[in-house]
Amino acid sequence: MKFGTKIKTSLYTEWRPYYLDYTGLKRMLKDRMFDGGWSEKDEEQFTTFLESELDKIHDFQRDKTSELARRIKDAEKDVERFVASDHDQSHDSHRLETSGEVEAHAKQYVHDGGSDDDLSDDEGDSFDELEDHFHGLEEEVANLVADVHDLALYTKLNITGFMKILKKHDKQTGRSLKATFAQEYLEKRPFYKYNWDALIVKLSKLYDLVRTRGNPVRGDSSAGGNQSAFVRQTTKYWVHPDNLVPLKLAILRNLPVLVFNSEKEFESRDSAITSIYFDNEDLELYLGRLEKTEGAEAIRLRWYGDVDNKTIFVERKTHREDWTGEKSVKARFPIKEHLVNAFLRGEYTVDEEFQQLVAKGKKTQAEVDSMIQLANEVQYAILTRKLKPVMRSFYNRTAFQLPGDARVRISLDTELSLIREDNWDGRIRAGDNWRRTDIGIDHPFEQVQSDDKELFKYGVLEVKLQTQFGQQPPKWVTDLVQSHLVEAVPKFSKFIHGCATLFPNRVDLVPFWLPQMDTDILKPDTGYLTVIERPGTSSATPSRSPTEHQSSSPTSTPDNASVAYLEPVSEGEDDDGMNMPAKDEDKRTGLSSDDVKAAVAFREKMLEERREEDKRQGKVPVADASDSGEPSYAHSPTRKGLDSPSTKPLSINPLAPSSTFDETLRTRLHDERVARERAGDRPNDQDEETNGLDEELPPTDDRILSRDWSAPVGKKIAIPVRIEPKVYFAAERTFLKWMNTAVFIGTIATTLLNFIPADDPRGLISAAFFTFAALLSIAYSVGIFVYRSYGLRERHAESLYYDKYGPTILCFVLFLALATNIGLRASEML
């Protein structure tokens, strides 16, 4: 679909005048080119038009975000007022009971048998009134969520429109305006760089207040529980940039945004997290983490917020194999920023400072002993293994969690940047300091050379669950991770990805996801997860997702479309006869029967004229099932379902394999495409750039399973190999079985040698054959055992673990020895 049509069908109807006039700009460009070429005056007028559109969009987004912030604040005040009013009523009722006024009041109305009922009715009315208020607030919050979603989509559509019209201008006129306009105009009004996190944090707080009726869950907001040592089951996903805002809005409906300091106004720097990873020149820690060896460590220094934070956390992550019965653990301890260099050089230990925590009563002796042991082990590893800072990771994290409850924690990391910190290759970066001082948290770090940084293009979603044995995760979490918003990437690691991309000359093994980075992960919305719903719309028809780039507005049609009014249909009703006039139309309109007849005749005349006009324009009618016999047209934008009566909703069998769903979805998409092409809805502009926004549906061969991924030239894809102790035992048992067989054969050979006469050549030949078979069996079994043991130690998945030659050769040699022995004895008897 062409972008000009896409922006018309995707816009939110109430904001229509504030979108980019893409059609007007395109028409201006086309008309001026056909009128005799593109002059300097045309260029100036076109630039002025673009600038006026930019001012309009920038001002609208600024005013709308301010309005949303004000509405959120007003809703918070309403919640506080309702809760305070309910609390005052409860307090007055309690004071009335304790002061004895209830008894005196009851004595005055002792003959009024309905007084008690009246009191309970008042209390019930008060509760119902409070609930009505909160239901109204729930609708307001739903509208706010939809507005934030649509405003983010508004921003995406408009910046894409600017880029496309500028590209079209440069291509058709031969003048270079795109770079100049982006630098001189867009950078001065960077509406497309708006950070939605502040609005989302406020919206999350409001959503939580309304959901809990003004009594949000209280607890420790420091990530829930003990941070010194914790174990979690973590799954990781990639998120396309177009899905970031919808994903956050979908999560906050179930979990609030975790705010570490709720008394402080949220700032973008509050979500920044920076880590410095250590390794040596052999990248020993990288290889250990990549190959998932038992006990593989990752050591890093981490701080939160800006670089002026004086508290640095030293963290160590240790990988444990499943067969050990232990879980991978992350442990950490704090250290002052000015002491980091001395600690890394071994000139400073934390023993004395940590012992003061016990004296102050902040930590127990057992906790301090554990922290001191961790600090000593980390310091020893850094000094003995010659670990140095090699890489920095920076990202903005939005965490969703109930305070004090770590059972479900979801974090979304955006603007992930990986930067070199080493002093290798003859370039000084960090020098003798433990981190670079020329950069802070100023993403995208334009002062850093391009080959020293890797800007990750996706968001990283981590779902951390703590569930009891056999307990299933919440259903909304399952729906979320199975939706179109995320792409599963098991065992993704920022440290591994950074080393693989920043040190191409030092790395031979790369992670499995690296060759797939060029594959677009944006998927069509299958309707599996409803992201945004406005109050008043049917829950059965979810709002369009950003992958379709549709607005959540219930009415979204082009300007030039003439859409007949259609009566809304309740769920389960038929669409037949919806265009028929009402039988009691005279009563509904308040007109006389003659006036109604005249109006009906006029309407039928207009419909007939419209049909004639459509026939002259060559529009093909599509058969309709209505009693009126009025044809509809394939290109006419009508309510979903009326333009394709044969379309059925996509049914999914949850027990069917994924390939079945892929084939069903592919068939549906293909049928819809064929239907549109037959109806003449094929786009004419084939030179229009198509990347996500331009195509309404993916190609027919979408979601094809590919097995031909290959590593970059000179690299190998690392395949984690699970080596358990029983594998070593299995290799030893196989070796012992071979030795047992060799002993039996050797026993036969020794018996022949010792019990046959020395002048019996036939017996000596048979003994020689059996001796050769025994020695061959011993040599082969030893060689195979050594080879397999080496492969297990080196974690080679392609070693000779399946022996298809050895038993065959042994059987052949034994057969030859027996046949020789029998043949020689037979010839002697003959």
Side-chain angles (χ1 to χ4, degrees):
M1 179 181 292
K2 295 184 292 183
F3 183 75
T5 306
K6 190 67 181 178
I7 196 172
K8 288 181 179 180
T9 57
S10 301
L11 54 81
Y12 181 36
T13 309
E14 295 184 6
W15 301 347
R16 182 185 298 275
Y18 304 102
Y19 282 82
L20 175 69
D21 188 5
Y22 183 83
T23 303
L25 288 166
K26 186 177 177 181
R27 185 182 299 112
M28 178 180 180
L29 187 63
K30 183 178 180 180
D31 293 343
R32 300 292 177 89
M33 288 296 298
F34 279 109
D35 288 344
W38 193 260
S39 62
E40 289 293 337
K41 183 179 179 181
D42 296 331
E43 183 76 6
E44 182 180 351
Q45 292 179 353
F46 187 79
T47 305
T48 303
F49 193 0
L50 277 175
E51 188 175 3
S52 64
E53 290 293 300
L54 177 60
D55 289 336
K56 176 186 69 176
I57 294 169
H58 176 265
D59 293 343
F60 176 77
Q61 189 201 57
R62 180 193 59 198
D63 297 340
K64 197 64 182 178
T65 51
S66 300
E67 176 194 337
L68 289 173
R70 176 185 55 79
R71 288 168 59 190
I72 293 174
K73 189 174 182 179
D74 292 343
E76 288 180 355
K77 291 180 179 179
D78 290 340
V79 174
E80 295 173 358
R81 187 175 68 254
F82 296 152
V83 173
S85 175
D86 181 60
H87 177 74
D88 291 341
Q89 290 180 6
S90 300
H91 179 71
D92 292 342
S93 176
H94 178 72
R95 180 175 56 83
L96 189 65
E97 293 176 359
T98 56
S99 62
E101 294 181 5
V102 173
E103 289 80 1
H105 187 70
K107 289 179 181 178
Q108 296 178 8
Y109 299 93
V110 66
H111 299 292
D112 185 5
S115 59
D116 293 338
D117 295 336
D118 292 341
L119 181 61
S120 62
D121 289 342
D122 291 340
E123 292 176 352
D125 292 343
S126 176
F127 177 78
D128 292 340
E129 183 179 357
L130 184 64
E131 277 298 307
D132 290 340
H133 288 311
F134 274 109
H135 283 310
L137 285 174
E138 286 178 350
E139 292 188 359
E140 172 64 11
V141 171
N143 281 320
L144 286 169
V145 171
D147 283 344
V148 172
H149 171 269
D150 287 338
L151 194 57
L153 180 57
Y154 167 90
T155 302
K156 177 67 177 178
L157 286 173
N158 283 300
I159 188 59
T160 305
F162 274 115
M163 294 297 103
K164 286 186 174 294
I165 198 64
L166 287 170
K167 180 180 179 180
K168 188 178 290 290
H169 166 274
D170 293 353
K171 180 179 179 180
Q172 295 185 5
T173 64
R175 299 171 182 260
S176 179
L177 179 61
K178 184 176 181 180
T180 305
F181 189 82
Q183 183 176 2
E184 296 183 2
Y185 296 95
L186 284 175
E187 289 298 326
K188 295 179 181 179
R189 303 170 185 83
F191 71 95
Y192 56 95
K193 294 183 179 180
Y194 183 78
N195 190 344
W196 302 97
D197 288 345
L199 266 182
I200 289 176
V201 169
K202 295 177 181 178
L203 192 57
S204 172
K205 181 181 178 182
L206 173 62
Y207 205 104
D208 194 37
L209 283 173
V210 174
R211 178 173 51 212
T212 59
R213 297 301 187 255
N215 299 290
V217 178
R218 303 291 182 181
D220 180 15
S221 295
S222 61
N226 183 11
Q227 283 287 302
S228 297
F230 49 91
V231 180
R232 288 194 178 101
Q233 294 179 351
T234 303
T235 52
K236 299 184 179 182
Y237 307 85
W238 288 349
V239 184
H240 193 276
D242 292 351
N243 292 335
L244 291 175
V245 173
L247 180 64
K248 293 179 181 179
L249 296 176
I251 297 174
L252 67 81
R253 296 190 304 175
N254 300 278
L255 279 182
V257 175
L258 183 66
V259 179
F260 291 91
N261 185 3
S262 58
E263 304 298 329
K264 176 180 174 293
E265 186 72 17
F266 177 81
E267 299 178 4
S268 58
R269 59 186 291 180
D270 297 337
S271 61
I273 299 180
T274 312
S275 302
I276 305 294
Y277 289 89
F278 285 71
D279 209 337
N280 51 31
E281 294 198 31
D282 296 329
L283 296 180
E284 180 182 345
L285 300 189
Y286 164 77
L287 292 175
R289 300 293 294 184
L290 180 62
E291 296 180 329
K292 302 297 180 185
T293 57
E294 165 60 23
E297 295 179 345
I299 297 176
R300 68 188 180 196
L301 304 182
R302 168 172 289 190
W303 70 94
Y304 301 89
D306 212 338
V307 292
D308 56 358
N309 195 326
K310 300 303 180 182
T311 301
I312 309 298
F313 291 94
V314 182
E315 299 184 350
R316 183 185 66 182
K317 300 176 70 174
T318 306
H319 174 72
R320 297 297 182 191
E321 293 279 14
D322 293 339
W323 58 263
T324 63
E326 301 180 8
K327 295 293 184 180
S328 299
V329 177
K330 179 175 73 173
R332 69 178 184 177
F333 63 90
I335 188 174
K336 299 297 182 183
E337 191 274 336
H338 66 279
L339 299 174
V340 172
N341 284 324
F343 175 80
L344 297 178
R345 292 193 297 264
E347 301 171 358
Y348 167 76
T349 58
V350 299
D351 301 35
E352 183 178 351
E353 183 177 351
F354 284 177
Q355 289 295 344
Q356 295 178 3
L357 299 176
V358 180
K360 296 178 181 179
K362 296 183 177 180
K363 296 283 185 181
T364 64
Q365 186 62 47
E367 292 175 337
V368 167
D369 291 342
S370 177
M371 293 169 61
I372 292 176
Q373 180 181 357
L374 174 64
N376 293 335
E377 291 176 355
V378 170
Q379 191 176 46
Y380 179 78
I382 291 175
L383 295 175
T384 57
R385 303 169 78 171
K386 298 181 180 179
L387 304 180
K388 300 292 182 181
V390 296
M391 189 198 72
R392 169 185 302 207
S393 70
F394 165 83
Y395 49 86
N396 289 306
R397 168 165 291 182
T398 305
F400 301 86
Q401 179 187 349
L402 289 174
D405 186 356
R407 289 176 298 176
V408 179
R409 185 189 180 195
I410 298 178
S411 62
L412 179 59
D413 300 334
T414 57
E415 297 181 345
L416 173 60
S417 306
L418 306 167
I419 303 172
R420 292 185 64 170
E421 292 276 342
D422 61 276
N423 298 319
W424 304 334
D425 304 333
R427 185 182 300 174
I428 302 300
R429 297 179 180 88
D432 296 331
N433 196 29
W434 64 278
R435 65 180 176 185
R436 298 177 63 153
T437 57
D438 59 334
I439 57 177
I441 58 173
D442 47 340
H443 181 272
F445 306 99
E446 296 179 352
Q447 68 273 32
V448 179
Q449 298 183 16
S450 58
D451 57 344
D452 277 0
K453 65 181 178 181
E454 169 73 14
L455 302 180
F456 195 70
K457 60 182 180 180
Y458 300 130
V460 179
L461 180 75
E462 295 186 23
V463 180
K464 304 176 183 179
L465 301 176
Q466 286 185 351
T467 55
Q468 297 179 356
F469 181 75
Q471 184 180 4
Q472 297 296 325
K475 185 179 184 303
W476 70 268
V477 175
T478 305
D479 292 343
L480 182 73
V481 299
Q482 292 179 354
S483 69
H484 66 284
L485 298 177
V486 299
E487 176 73 18
V489 186
K491 305 300 181 182
F492 174 77
S493 168
K494 302 179 182 71
F495 172 56
I496 292 176
H497 185 80
C499 289
T501 53
L502 294 175
F503 303 101
N505 297 328
R506 294 177 177 267
V507 170
D508 294 328
L509 286 178
V510 296
F512 71 90
W513 62 78
L514 194 63
Q516 305 178 40
M517 286 299 299
D518 294 333
T519 304
D520 189 12
I521 65 172
L522 193 63
K523 296 179 286 188
D525 183 6
T526 58
Y528 188 76
L529 177 68
T530 300
V531 180
I532 303 299
E533 283 184 355
R534 288 188 182 272
T537 60
S538 173
S539 60
T541 56
S543 300
R544 309 280 183 175
S545 74
T547 54
E548 293 176 325
H549 298 278
Q550 298 281 352
S551 171
S552 59
S553 171
T555 57
S556 176
T557 56
D559 288 329
N560 57 354
S562 56
V563 184
Y565 169 75
L566 294 173
E567 189 73 21
V569 184
S570 301
E571 185 176 359
E573 292 184 5
D574 289 332
D575 296 338
D576 298 348
M578 292 305 300
N579 295 328
M580 293 289 291
K583 296 181 180 179
D584 55 350
E585 194 165 358
D586 54 343
K587 298 179 181 179
R588 293 176 180 269
T589 58
L591 300 176
S592 64
S593 58
D594 295 336
D595 293 336
V596 170
K597 291 179 180 179
V600 171
F602 178 77
R603 180 169 56 193
E604 292 178 352
K605 180 182 178 181
M606 293 297 296
L607 290 175
E608 183 64 28
E609 291 178 356
R610 190 178 69 178
R611 282 193 291 267
E612 294 296 331
E613 180 67 22
D614 291 337
K615 289 180 180 179
R616 287 195 297 269
Q617 294 179 2
K619 298 178 182 178
V620 182
V622 179
D624 191 87
S626 62
D627 295 334
S628 63
E630 178 186 346
S632 59
Y633 293 87
H635 69 282
S636 300
T638 60
R639 185 172 60 85
K640 182 179 179 181
L642 293 180
D643 56 348
S644 55
S646 61
T647 302
K648 298 181 180 179
L650 181 62
S651 59
I652 303 174
N653 180 7
L655 300 181
S658 59
S659 59
T660 303
F661 171 72
D662 293 342
E663 292 296 334
T664 305
L665 176 61
R666 189 179 301 118
T667 303
R668 280 286 310 278
L669 298 178
H670 176 69
D671 293 344
E672 292 179 7
R673 172 172 298 218
V674 171
R676 286 198 310 273
E677 291 178 353
R678 289 177 179 175
D681 194 26
R682 184 182 302 174
N684 297 323
D685 255 353
Q686 297 297 332
D687 61 343
E688 189 79 47
E689 183 183 2
T690 57
N691 54 358
L693 278 173
D694 306 333
E695 294 187 1
E696 185 176 5
L697 291 172
T700 305
D701 57 351
D702 187 44
R703 301 279 307 272
I704 294 180
L705 178 63
S706 176
R707 299 181 183 273
D708 57 353
W709 294 107
S710 59
V713 179
K715 310 290 183 183
K716 292 178 62 178
I717 297 178
I719 303 176
V721 180
R722 181 177 180 177
I723 304 297
E724 300 181 3
K726 64 181 182 181
V727 179
Y728 290 97
F729 298 151
E732 292 177 1
R733 285 196 302 270
T734 305
F735 170 69
L736 294 177
K737 288 289 185 180
W738 274 89
M739 291 299 296
N740 187 37
T741 304
V743 167
F744 279 118
I745 301 174
T747 302
I748 297 174
T750 304
T751 303
L752 290 175
L753 286 174
N754 291 332
F755 291 99
I756 62 174
D759 56 351
D760 186 2
R762 293 180 178 84
L764 294 176
I765 293 175
S766 298
F769 268 99
F770 279 102
T771 302
F772 173 75
L775 294 177
L776 179 64
S777 177
I778 293 173
Y780 183 82
S781 62
V782 171
I784 289 295
F785 176 71
V786 172
Y787 179 77
R788 287 175 176 172
S789 299
Y790 174 79
L792 292 175
R793 286 195 299 269
E794 297 298 323
R795 308 178 73 85
H796 291 164
E798 67 277 3
S799 293
L800 187 62
Y801 300 118
Y802 170 66
D803 191 356
K804 59 182 179 180
Y805 300 112
T808 303
I809 295 175
L810 179 62
C811 291
F812 176 77
V813 172
L814 283 177
F815 174 79
L816 184 62
L818 290 172
T820 302
N821 185 32
I822 295 174
L824 291 175
R825 290 305 176 187
S827 63
E828 182 181 6
M829 289 185 293
L830 295 176

